[in-house]
Each structure stands twice: as C-alpha cells, then as structure tokens.
C-alpha cells in the first residue's frame, strides 16, 4: 500500500525534529486471488524503496504526508557527472570501489533497515565527490533517514549525521539515531460499503463481524507500515473469500499524531455486489464422460460464491484419479447474478499400472501390482485390480465403481480372495460385494450386500468346532457411516472422527442361522500448548447362537501396528482349548497418545515424538473381556505420502517389546 506525500520536514543535522501532526493516506485496488482469468489487484505492502531519486520533493518511504508548512528545500540537488555502473541498483548493492564508509549507530532493528535501504549507499561508488557535494549528500540523508525510521513507527526520532576523518583521510559518514517512543495504535474504524454494508443476510453479518474481530492492528499495538499494510491486505482477503470476489479496499487513513505517539486508523472496504455461481464451463475433457466433471466438482448453479467451495471442488477433481490436474476459478467481470465457473482439467491416461514395494512389522515385506482402467468399454465404470504379495496375508482384489450420479452415489462391485496366516490357523477367505457408496468431504456412506466364505485349516483346527475357529460362510446386508471432522488431513492437529457399521444376515450351508454384527469407532485429537493428545476407541459385537458357523472374516481379532501395539498382528483373540488363538464375538480397543513436536534450536520441524498406552480385548462374552496393555514411545515424520510412524512398544501380557512401522493416516 503506497501513500502520497508532498514534503518532509527538513531540520539541521543533529537537531530534534519539530512536533508535527502527520497523516498517512492510501487508495487500494481489488485483491482477487482466484486464478489467471481473474483480475488480481492487491495493494502491495509498503517497503523502503530500492531506488528513489534524491530530491527535496521525493516521496518518503514512510508514506508520511506533512500537513505543516513545508520548509525551504536544500540549496541544490546533488547530481554526479558520471555514475559508475556499480552505482545503479539496490541501495544494498556493494560497489567495487567506494568513496566513503557508512557507520550506523542505532538499535538493531533500525540499524539493519538503514544499512539495507539508506540512499547514501548508492553514492559510495561515485569516487569524484568533493567536500561540498558530500556535505549536500549528508543534508539530504537526514530526510531519508527520518522517512525510513518512520516506516517502523518512530515519528519523533533524534537523528545526527556527521562526517568523521580528516581532509586527506577516507571519509566515514556516521548516522546516529535515537528512535524515541514508538507509535501505538489508537482508535480503529472499519467501514463497509456495497452489499455487505446493509445486507440483512446472516452470513454477511457474520462476515463483517469476522473481519472486525480478525483485524490485525487493534488498539494498543505498535504501528509500523508493514503491519498496517498487512492488516489491510488480510481484511481484503477475508472480504473477497466469500460472497464478494470483486471487493476492494476503497480507502484507508492512518492519522499519526507524532507528539502523542498515536495513530488513528480508518479503513473502508467496498464489497461490491453479491456473486452467485452460474453455469459451469469445462475445457480439457475428451476421453471421459462430460458429466463427470460437474458431478465430481459438486458446485450448484445459484449457490453464493465461496472461494473455499471452489478450492474443494478443485481438490476433488485432482484426487479423483481421472485428471492429472484441475483448475477452478471465476472471472468477476462477468454477471454477478450468474458468474460462470471456469474449469480447466488435464485428463489422466485411460489405463495405468503401478508397481509398489513396502514393509510392515505386522506382515513383513510386501510387493503390489495394481492396474486401473478408468473407463471399461461397454459400461464406463472404473476397474481397479490389485495383486498383493506378502508373507501373512497375500491377496487379490478387483474393485469396480461407476461414475457418481447427481447425488454423488456410485454403484460398486468388489471381489477379493485372501490367505490369512495366523500360525496354527490358516484362513482361505473369499468375498463378493455389491452395493452403493457415497463419498463426501466429511461423511462417507456405504450400503451393500456381501457374501463371505472362510475355509479355516491348519494344525489349530484339531479339536475345535467350526463355530470357534470361524469356518463357514454367510450372506449379509450392511450399512457403514463414517464422519470426519478434522482441521486438516492427513496431518490433523485437532478434531474428531466417528463411524459405525451395522450388518445382519444368515450363515449358509447345511445349518442356516441368523446373526447381526455392529462396530463403532471414534478418534479424537485434542490440541495442547505443546503438541496434542490423540485418543482412539473401538468396539464391536456379533450377536447370534453360539453354534452358528459365522465366518472368521465377520468375527474379531486384534493386535498390531494400528490397534494394540506391543503385540503381533491379530495376536489378541480367544484362547481355544488346544491353546490356539481364535476369533471372538466381542472386541474392545482403546488408546491414548501424547504427540509433541521435536524442536532443534527452538524451531519445530517435520518430526514428532510420542508416548502412548494401548489396550485391547477379544472375547465370546462381554463379561470375559480382559484387556491386554501395550506401552511405548515412538516418532512421527510428516512424509510426502502421509504420516510415517515408528513405535517401540512393550506388551505387558506377553512381556515382549516389538517395533511397529506403518505409513498413513487411518480412520
């Protein structure tokens, strides 16, 4: 933000400045950060100019307008006959040959700024200055110093500029500054113009209140030109972020009373008209169904403009897998009542193959091969087929999804085969699923019919019934609801998530018996002054006759990286008569973890340290639930692919320590 100026008070070198009432005025333009097609006009923060002319009528960097009578200008302007090439450029440039040295004696904040922006720096390369010219430069420098110090909020400084060194010695210009008392913010007035000023809409009233409450220069704070400019920029950003993309800073005034060391601030924000979204104009779609973009973006014609909605629509398109990039924006020059939404996308290839390798402490080394076809001929669904090779649970799966309908529901079908190695029990599992799903920004829903079959073999089968080992098959109808309310993902610092599953069906085979299954999950993150507390809770129950051969994939076992640390994968279950661990019908898991940043030299980084306690239990009756505890510590790294967790945990029941490594934020 720049301010007009006509003159600055000129005083003798070393004199105390005369009292004056100063005024900073500005006019601002529109700030609109919506994309290349949108006009972006933001008021730039005030900074000491890099290359101003040195004259008696120069605009001072402090943007101070002198309202008192202007003093006489210096007798003449210093104009060197020949300026070396090194003298042109920023005042901080260091010429190869210098005519004089500069010594700044001032508090560190002022010294650093003067050494960087002082106009005298530009003339050090003029090696043919005589004594009279150097004296005139010193006279001009006093005004330059006063203006620079004013940008930091010191409007009554004591400035003394002297020349040290004899006639035949190298001159040293000493700039000594006593800044005096800093200017404090006095009364603040934020005025609104346009639709936002008189709108009775609750959201408009809330937006006005938010701008006023978030104002960065309240009464009592120190005034500087950077903070003044930054406060106006922030207020303008809040104005154009919702409802009013053509909003602008209509005017601003910082009325500085130098003797009283106070500044009264006035800001006028003109919202312009209210904007509503119009039709969507899409470019870049060739191989996919044209309805895909509007259904993924989920921006409704007639909705009030909100920049956050456009950003979320852009993220949905970019993360959908159909597009390598997406850009969503509006041009506020269009009709406010129906401003077109511009969407530019770059399509992903129709098919892709991904090879992956990894390792977990639960299952050891892992290799994956994944193929995706984004538009299967004939039906237009997306098919993702994945082969996963690992020691304890190798699997193959194919997942087919339709494009979303206008309500964001998709049809889907899944087929999966898996081999689960629990040492003495080895389960050959198959699963078929068909249903509908809706994935939202916060809430996910799934409704489906599922067939499960578990063929349990191994040495642990001997002496145990099918019901206790989980050998059987079933057909169920299921509903899953998940809500996530975090401040951000995949690295949340506060918020919570919860979910539940409800299913019911019947076992198949010679004995058909009904059963129901329900699971509830919760994760809460509580911020602290130093880090945060993360708490997890999960519980599940399968209700049916004791003799019902419910497949193990519908029953419960726990333990491992993301459940109860300090125990192996699925090590917590039911102790069968022959000593083998089998699945159970009731499950409870809980955890509390303190996560705090790791600081180096007082600065935080991408690493965190954790201390945790986990507990979990599985039983066939609720009263038999007996928790197994694990305690430990670990580190977290905010990696590009999500949180990397490395934990060392000690299982109190098994009296063993285990290392747990996993990647990703899971809920």
């Amino acid at each position: 933000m720049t301010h007009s100026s006509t003159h600055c008070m000129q005083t003798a070198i070393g004199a105390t400045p005369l009292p004056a009432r100063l005024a900073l005025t500005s006019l601002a333009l529109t700030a609109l950060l919506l994309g290349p097609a949108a006009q972006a006009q933001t008021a730039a923060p005030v900074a000491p100019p890099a290359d101003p002319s040195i004259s008696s009528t120069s605009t001072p960097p402090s943007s101070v307008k002198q309202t008192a009578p202007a003093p006489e200008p210096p007798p003449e302007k210093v104009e060197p006959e020949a300026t070396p090439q090194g003298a042109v450029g920023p005042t901080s440039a260091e010429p190869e040959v210098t005519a004089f040295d500069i010594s700044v004696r001032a508090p560190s904040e002022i010294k650093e700024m003067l050494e960087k922006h002082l106009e005298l720096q530009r003339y050090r390369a003029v090696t043919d200055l005589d004594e009279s010219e150097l004296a005139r430069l010193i006279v001009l420098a006093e005004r330059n110093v006063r203006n620079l110090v004013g940008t930091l909020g010191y409007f009554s400084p004591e400035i003394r500029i002297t020349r040290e060194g004899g006639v035949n010695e190298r001159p040293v210009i000493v700039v000594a500054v006593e800044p005096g008392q800093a200017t404090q913010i006095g009364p603040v007035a934020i005025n609104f113009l346009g639709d936002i000023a008189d709108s009775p809409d609750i959201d408009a009233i809330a937006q006005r209140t938010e701008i006023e409450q978030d104002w960065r220069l309240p009464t009592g704070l120190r005034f500087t030109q950077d903070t003044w400019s930054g406060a106006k920029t922030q207020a303008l950003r809040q104005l154009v972020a919702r409802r009013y993309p053509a909003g602008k800073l209509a005017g601003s005034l910082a009325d500085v009373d130098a003797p009283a060391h106070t500044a009264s601030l006035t800001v006028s924000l003109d919202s312009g008209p209210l904007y509503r979204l119009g039709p969507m104009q899409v470019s870049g779609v060739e191989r996919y169904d044209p309805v895909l973009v509007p259904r993924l973006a989920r921006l409704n014609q007639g909705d009030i403009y909100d920049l956050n909605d456009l950003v979320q629509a852009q993220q949905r398109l970019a993360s959908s897998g159909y597009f390598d990039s997406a850009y969503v924006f509006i041009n506020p020059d269009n009709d406010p009542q129906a401003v077109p939404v511009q969407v530019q996308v770059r399509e992903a290839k129709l098919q892709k193959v991904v090879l992956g390798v990894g390792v977990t402490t639960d299952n050891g080394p892992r290799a994956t091969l994944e193929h995706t076809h984004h538009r299967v001929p004939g039906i237009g669904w997306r098919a993702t087929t994945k082969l996963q090779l690992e020691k304890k649970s190798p699997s193959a799966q194919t997942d087919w999804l339709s494009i979303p309908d206008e309500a964001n529901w998709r049809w889907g079908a899944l087929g999966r085969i898996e081999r689960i190695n629990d040492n003495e029990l080895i389960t050959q599992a198959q699963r078929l699923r068909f249903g509908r799903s809706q994935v939202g920004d916060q809430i996910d829903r799934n409704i489906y019919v599922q067939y499960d079959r578990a063929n349990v073999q191994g040495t642990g089968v001997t002496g145990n019934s099918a019901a206790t080992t989980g050998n059987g098959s079933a057909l169920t109808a299921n509903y899953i609801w998940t809500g996530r309310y975090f401040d951000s993902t995949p690295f949340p610092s506060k918020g919570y998530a919860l979910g539940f599953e409800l299913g019911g069906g019947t076992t198949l085979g010679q004995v058909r018996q009904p059963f129901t299954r329900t699971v509830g999950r919760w994760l809460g993150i509580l911020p602290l002054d130093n880090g945060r507390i993360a708490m997890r809770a999960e519980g599940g129950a399968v209700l049916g006759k004791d003799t019902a051969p419910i497949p193990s994939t519908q029953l419960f076992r726990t333990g491992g990286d993301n459940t109860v640390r300090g125990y192996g994968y699925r090590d917590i279950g039911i102790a069968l008569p022959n000593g083998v661990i089998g699945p159970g019908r009731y499950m409870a898991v809980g955890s509390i973890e303190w996560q705090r940043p790791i600081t180096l030299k007082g600065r935080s980084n991408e690493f965190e340290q954790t201390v945790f306690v986990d507990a979990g239990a599985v039983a066939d009756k609720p009263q038999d639930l007996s928790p197994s505890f694990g305690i430990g510590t670990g580190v977290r790294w905010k990696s590009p692919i999500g949180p990397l967790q490395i934990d060392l945990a000690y299982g109190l029941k098994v009296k063993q320590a285990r290392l747990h490594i996993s990647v990703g934020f899971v809920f």
Side-chain angles (χ1 to χ4, degrees):
M1 193 71 56
T2 58
H3 310 282
S4 62
S5 175
T6 58
H7 221 281
C8 214
M9 186 170 294
Q10 180 70 38
T11 61
I13 298 174
T16 301
L18 298 176
R21 184 169 182 82
L22 310 174
L24 283 75
T25 60
S26 69
L27 292 177
L29 300 176
T30 305
L32 188 58
L33 310 175
L34 300 180
Q39 293 181 349
Q41 303 178 66
T42 57
V46 175
D51 190 15
S53 61
I54 300 179
S55 71
S56 61
T57 59
S58 63
T59 300
S62 61
S63 303
V64 176
K65 183 176 181 179
Q66 177 65 44
T67 57
E72 291 297 323
E76 67 178 274
K77 179 180 178 182
V78 177
E79 290 287 349
E81 295 180 2
T83 301
Q85 183 176 358
V88 179
T91 58
S92 58
E94 185 69 26
E96 295 182 1
V97 179
T98 58
F100 55 87
D101 293 329
I102 299 175
S103 176
V104 178
R105 299 170 185 173
S108 58
E109 177 189 24
I110 295 175
K111 180 178 180 181
E112 180 180 353
M113 191 263 291
L114 291 180
E115 289 178 342
K116 184 177 181 181
H117 296 290
L118 194 61
E119 286 291 342
L120 281 175
Q121 300 281 4
R122 295 173 52 80
Y123 286 87
R124 295 179 64 199
V126 183
T127 56
D128 57 350
L129 289 174
D130 58 27
E131 291 296 323
S132 62
E133 291 172 333
L134 187 59
R136 283 191 289 273
L137 279 179
I138 292 175
V139 172
L140 293 174
E142 190 275 340
R143 181 185 351 194
N144 178 230
V145 171
R146 186 176 306 282
N147 294 334
L148 290 172
V149 173
T151 66
L152 299 178
Y154 299 102
F155 293 99
S156 301
E158 293 185 6
I159 302 171
R160 180 173 296 276
I161 304 178
T162 58
R163 179 193 186 282
E164 295 184 355
V167 177
N168 297 322
E169 295 180 358
R170 181 179 177 83
V172 177
I173 307 301
V174 178
V175 180
V177 179
E178 289 292 337
Q181 183 176 337
T183 299
Q184 305 294 316
I185 304 299
V188 177
I190 302 178
N191 303 319
F192 294 96
L193 307 172
D195 181 85
I196 194 174
D198 303 315
S199 175
D201 190 287
I202 295 177
D203 190 47
I205 297 173
Q207 189 171 2
R208 292 200 305 263
T209 303
E210 179 182 324
I211 293 173
E212 292 170 341
Q213 291 179 344
D214 293 345
W215 175 250
R216 291 185 176 182
L217 275 182
T219 300
L221 289 188
R222 174 183 160 189
F223 175 88
T224 71
Q225 200 145 331
D226 280 345
T227 56
W228 168 228
S229 190
K232 291 182 287 185
T233 299
Q234 174 62 22
L236 187 56
R237 285 175 177 168
Q238 290 180 275
L239 176 67
V240 302
R242 301 198 313 271
R243 301 171 63 88
Y244 309 110
K248 62 182 180 181
L249 187 61
S252 63
L253 173 68
D255 190 5
V256 178
D257 188 345
H261 306 291
T262 61
S264 301
L265 307 182
T266 303
V267 175
S268 296
L269 296 170
D270 186 352
S271 69
L274 174 69
Y275 277 69
R276 293 184 179 274
L277 301 184
M280 185 173 293
Q281 299 175 354
V282 182
S283 61
V285 175
E286 296 179 358
R287 61 171 62 101
Y288 299 128
D289 193 322
V291 304
L292 184 61
V293 170
R295 290 183 182 179
L296 289 173
R298 302 203 296 274
L299 295 173
N300 300 318
Q301 191 167 338
D303 284 354
I304 293 177
Y305 166 84
D306 191 322
L307 177 59
N308 187 55
D309 291 343
L310 269 62
V311 171
Q312 291 183 358
Q314 182 172 297
Q315 291 175 342
R316 284 192 291 269
L317 290 168
S319 63
S320 67
Y322 290 100
F323 307 104
D324 289 332
S325 64
Y327 192 49
V328 182
F329 60 96
I330 68 164
N331 184 347
D333 288 341
N334 292 316
D335 181 12
Q337 296 303 313
V339 60
V341 179
Q342 308 288 336
V343 181
Q344 299 173 358
V345 296
R346 182 162 59 89
E347 294 180 321
K349 293 182 178 180
L350 195 61
Q351 300 184 61
K352 69 175 182 179
V353 176
V354 178
L355 298 174
V357 294
V359 61
T360 65
T361 48
D362 282 344
N363 297 319
R366 177 179 62 231
T368 59
L369 172 63
E370 183 176 307
H371 172 265
T372 301
H373 196 304
H374 288 296
R375 191 175 186 181
V376 177
I379 62 173
W381 289 22
R382 176 166 62 191
T384 303
T385 303
K386 182 177 181 179
L387 176 65
Q388 180 167 297
L389 302 176
E390 59 184 9
K391 182 178 179 181
K392 286 199 169 185
S393 57
S395 63
Q397 174 178 299
T398 183
D399 189 4
W400 294 48
L401 278 175
S402 69
I403 65 172
D405 61 17
E406 294 182 355
N408 197 36
W409 283 93
R410 298 173 181 240
W411 289 102
L414 177 142
R416 178 182 177 86
I417 58 174
E418 183 178 18
R419 182 179 184 272
I420 304 173
N421 186 347
D422 292 320
N423 299 321
E424 292 86 356
L425 297 178
I426 299 175
T427 304
Q428 304 285 349
Q430 298 89 42
R431 172 173 294 172
L432 295 175
R433 176 186 296 176
F434 182 79
R436 304 186 74 195
S437 62
Q438 184 189 58
V439 178
D441 296 327
Q442 292 183 321
I443 297 175
D444 299 345
R445 298 178 178 90
N446 289 272
I447 303 173
Y448 58 89
V449 176
Q450 181 168 291
Y451 167 77
D452 285 277
R453 181 178 181 274
N455 182 14
V456 183
Q457 301 173 345
T459 58
V461 173
T462 305
N464 294 307
S465 66
T468 57
T469 59
N471 189 86
S473 57
L475 183 66
T476 57
N478 302 270
Y479 176 76
I480 300 177
W481 184 96
T482 302
R484 302 176 183 87
Y485 305 93
F486 297 109
D487 58 341
S488 65
T489 55
F491 306 108
S493 60
K494 64 179 180 179
Y496 68 95
L498 52 88
F500 68 86
E501 304 175 20
L502 179 62
T506 180
T507 61
L508 302 177
Q510 294 181 351
V511 179
R512 298 192 176 186
Q513 295 182 344
F515 69 94
T516 59
R517 183 179 188 271
T518 182
V519 176
R521 296 175 294 142
W522 175 81
L523 170 63
I525 298 179
L526 177 66
L528 303 174
D529 292 338
N530 183 24
R532 68 192 73 88
I533 296 292
M535 297 167 284
R536 290 187 291 116
E538 183 175 4
V542 175
L543 305 177
K545 290 186 177 182
D546 294 343
T547 58
I550 301 172
S552 61
T553 51
Q554 292 281 347
L555 301 175
F556 303 107
R557 292 180 67 167
T558 191
D561 296 340
N562 296 305
T563 55
V564 185
R565 290 160 289 189
Y567 299 83
Y569 179 57
R570 291 165 53 91
D571 276 359
I572 299 174
I574 300 294
L576 301 180
N578 61 355
V580 173
I581 301 298
R585 299 194 176 195
Y586 292 88
M587 180 266 296
V589 173
S591 174
I592 183 168
E593 180 173 291
W594 179 27
Q595 305 167 350
R596 59 177 182 173
I598 297 175
T599 58
L600 296 175
K601 297 182 179 180
R603 296 182 179 180
S604 59
N605 49 56
E606 301 300 314
F607 289 88
E608 294 181 333
Q609 189 260 335
T610 66
V611 179
F612 57 85
V613 177
D614 296 343
V618 174
D620 276 334
K621 295 180 180 180
Q623 61 269 27
D624 293 336
L625 289 170
S626 177
S628 298
F629 289 93
I631 59 174
T633 184
V635 295
R636 303 286 181 270
W637 174 46
K638 296 180 180 180
S639 76
I641 59 175
L644 171 63
Q645 304 180 183
I646 303 177
D647 298 318
L648 181 62
Y650 181 78
L652 298 182
K653 183 170 287 188
V654 295
K655 295 182 173 56
Q656 290 183 352
R658 295 181 66 92
L659 183 67
H660 296 270
I661 302 175
S662 61
V663 178
F665 176 71
V666 179
F667 184 82

